[in-house]
Amino acid sequence: MSELTKALIGFHQAVDKIDKNARANYGKFADLANVLSTVTPPMHANDLAITQTFDGQSLITTLHHTSGETISSSCQLMICDGRNQTQEWGKAVTYQRRYAICSILGIVADMDTDADAEPQEEKKVNRPARKTELAKPAAATPASEPNPDDPMNDAEKNLLHGVIKELLPEHKDKLLVEFRKHYKLPEGSKVRDKIQTYAHRTFLQNAMYEITA
């Protein structure tokens, strides 16, 4: 058994439940500061640390052990359309950092299902928060807009399906109904394989914001 695996088992035995400490339109969720302040002490106690950096439009999350062993994951940032591209980029980073941290640690947190619903002020928690330095992206210039009729790559489709899966059941059902109606699909037909292009993604993002508002 690798040293990192042993340390991760120790972390699982020590980590506390991640409380829902912030509120958005649809309800309560665990914000990034709370996730970090909950997982950082038991990680350090087991000789673990996490770094999150950027490679182009992807978020790179790496779990380190003092032995030198590492595990890394890469997730392409899904940035929504908006007037302020810098703000949209920041919301995408905050939203997906929480998912990536919990995923690489193998834990579950009460995360939100609407990246656009980030609260303006996050409730303070009693646990001491540790300052985390993030590498800044190489370029602040937003990526060029894709052609709406171009197909998404597999990573983009999988991320979109993951976001839809996390919706509340009633929101998910309404979203799929709206997609079938807009694209004139038979009632009750399978939608997953029909979601292929950037136009589909934009429609679903806009519909999710309206449904969950």
Side-chain angles (χ1 to χ4, degrees):
M1 184 182 297
S2 73
E3 293 302 313
L4 191 151
T5 301
K6 292 178 183 177
L8 195 54
I9 292 172
F11 165 81
H12 284 165
Q13 293 171 339
V15 68
D16 291 333
K17 175 185 175 182
I18 301 177
D19 297 323
K20 294 184 288 186
N21 70 311
R23 182 176 295 278
N25 291 338
Y26 70 93
K28 298 179 71 177
F29 68 97
D31 63 27
L32 177 60
N34 194 29
V35 171
L36 284 172
S37 62
T38 301
V39 303
T40 298
M43 279 200 305
H44 288 178
N46 287 278
D47 298 326
L48 295 169
I50 277 182
T51 59
Q52 291 184 298
T53 55
F54 302 95
D55 182 6
Q57 292 298 315
S58 295
L59 173 68
I60 310 299
T61 302
T62 305
L63 180 63
H64 304 263
H65 185 257
T66 53
S67 65
E69 296 176 357
T70 63
I71 300 174
S72 293
S73 68
S74 175
C75 178
Q76 184 165 350
L77 293 171
M78 181 180 289
I79 304 172
C80 301
D81 296 330
R83 294 181 179 178
N84 188 327
Q85 281 293 303
T86 302
Q87 185 181 59
E88 296 301 330
W89 181 86
K91 287 191 290 186
V93 170
T94 300
Y95 183 67
Q96 290 172 227
R97 279 187 67 195
R98 289 185 279 127
Y99 274 104
I101 290 170
C102 291
S103 177
I104 204 166
L105 290 173
I107 58 176
V108 176
D110 293 295
M111 296 181 179
D112 67 313
T113 56
D114 183 356
D116 197 40
E118 294 286 347
Q120 295 299 313
E121 295 185 2
E122 296 182 344
K123 180 181 176 182
K124 294 182 180 179
V125 294
N126 292 328
R127 300 184 186 92
R130 294 176 181 266
K131 185 176 181 180
T132 302
E133 294 293 336
L134 276 179
K136 292 185 174 16
T141 304
S144 58
E145 290 294 326
N147 188 311
D149 294 326
D150 286 346
M152 294 183 286
N153 61 41
D154 289 341
E156 290 170 324
K157 286 190 286 187
N158 289 337
L159 180 58
L160 182 57
H161 291 316
V163 173
I164 294 172
K165 185 178 179 181
E166 292 294 326
L167 290 173
L168 295 175
E170 58 269 29
H171 291 164
K172 180 180 177 181
D173 291 343
K174 187 172 181 180
L175 180 68
L176 299 183
V177 168
E178 292 299 322
F179 186 86
R180 294 188 191 101
K181 183 187 301 183
H182 184 81
Y183 289 100
K184 299 179 181 179
L185 300 176
E187 183 178 352
S189 61
K190 294 286 186 180
V191 168
R192 183 181 178 91
D193 293 339
K194 303 295 182 182
I195 302 173
Q196 297 292 332
T197 68
Y198 290 106
H200 294 155
R201 185 180 75 175
T202 298
F203 173 82
L204 289 167
Q205 288 172 340
N206 292 337
M208 278 190 279
Y209 295 155
E210 292 179 4
I211 291 169
T212 60

